[in-house]
Amino acid sequence: MAKSTKPAAAVKPAAKPAAKAATKAAPAVAEKSEKIAKTQIIDMLADKTTLNKKQAGEAVASMLDVVVEALKGGKSVGLPGLGTFSVAKTAARQGVRPGTSEKITIPAGKKVRFKVASTLKTSL
């Protein structure tokens, strides 16, 4: 009898902390917003138009390629009702390497910025 009660006792405490961890993690997951994948965008586009999924996929891929190429060329891209993507130059600056506290120079570069359209901002 002692053998059968020991494994059950060993399993029970292990299960309780896992259950507690799951309940603690659940609220954190609920706080995050849901992400829509490219395939979901393709499905939604196919549903809203007369395009089939293959054509919708080609349309989405082509649009993204156009946006990326424009940004690589230094142009800004405005999407009415959504916002504007633009390329901004960053200046060289001093930084600190984590762990060693060594001062380093971060070189100048470029980054993509996004400004939300006022119509979208007010509707949120």
Side-chain angles (χ1 to χ4, degrees), residues 64-115:
L64 294 175
D65 287 342
V66 168
V67 170
V68 168
E69 288 301 317
L71 291 172
K72 283 182 180 179
K75 298 177 182 177
S76 65
V77 179
L79 302 173
L82 184 65
T84 303
F85 291 96
S86 61
V87 178
K89 294 180 181 179
T90 59
R93 59 196 186 277
Q94 290 292 317
V96 178
R97 187 178 305 275
T100 62
S101 299
E102 173 189 355
K103 290 190 176 187
I104 58 171
T105 300
I106 301 169
K110 296 178 183 177
K111 65 180 179 178
V112 177
R113 291 198 176 165
F114 180 73
K115 183 179 179 186

Side-chain angles (χ1 to χ4, degrees), residues 34-47 60:
E34 188 176 329
K35 180 179 176 182
I36 297 177
K38 182 179 174 182
T39 55
Q40 292 171 316
I41 293 172
I42 292 169
D43 291 341
M44 286 187 266
L45 182 63
D47 290 341
V60 169

